[in-house]
Amino acid sequence: MAIYDGTAVVGFAMYGYFWEYPPAGRVWLDRLLIDAARQGRGYGRAAVASLLARLAEEYGPRDIYLSVVDGNTAAARLYEAFGFVFTEERDVHGEHVMRRPAAPVRGS
């Protein structure tokens, strides 16, 4: 999906449900990229907040996974601010996997 500021595209994101992870699959925030010239302006933070709300709406209360390239400390800090923590896993590309535990269901 595209990330906009008004009518200008400032980045994009990809997400999905991957069945190949036993026992019940995983929801992944698979990619999030903000144009280099527009980084540091809050677009990433706004995009993550919006994407997490969308994932909760589409998939319900589930853990959410993503991966971070070695050395991308800015991205890691951003994701940590939203409750993601590093696991001991690496994805198929060797990137560090992070997981955000499922948000509790309200009223439970």
Side-chain angles (χ1 to χ4, degrees):
M1 61 190 306
I3 299 168
Y4 288 90
D5 180 0
T7 59
V9 175
V10 298
F12 77 92
M14 296 170 39
Y15 66 88
Y17 190 84
F18 294 83
W19 288 99
E20 59 269 22
Y21 292 94
R26 289 183 178 177
V27 175
W28 280 80
L29 175 47
D30 201 41
R31 291 285 176 252
L32 172 61
L33 286 95
I34 302 297
D35 178 58
R38 297 175 188 248
Q39 291 178 6
R41 299 182 191 177
Y43 292 119
R45 184 169 302 282
V48 171
S50 180
L51 285 161
L52 290 175
R54 184 176 186 129
L55 291 172
E57 184 178 308
E58 286 190 34
Y59 299 104
R62 299 187 57 94
D63 291 358
I64 299 172
Y65 293 82
L66 55 79
S67 59
V68 178
V69 175
D70 281 330
N72 192 345
T73 56
R77 283 193 309 268
L78 172 64
Y79 298 134
E80 287 171 337
F82 282 93
F84 285 89
V85 294
F86 281 103
T87 69
E88 298 297 317
E89 291 180 79
R90 297 261 185 164
D91 71 4
V92 297
H93 304 290
E95 297 176 6
H96 296 279
V97 174
M98 298 182 83
R99 179 180 64 89
R100 181 178 187 255
V105 177
R106 292 183 186 193
S108 55

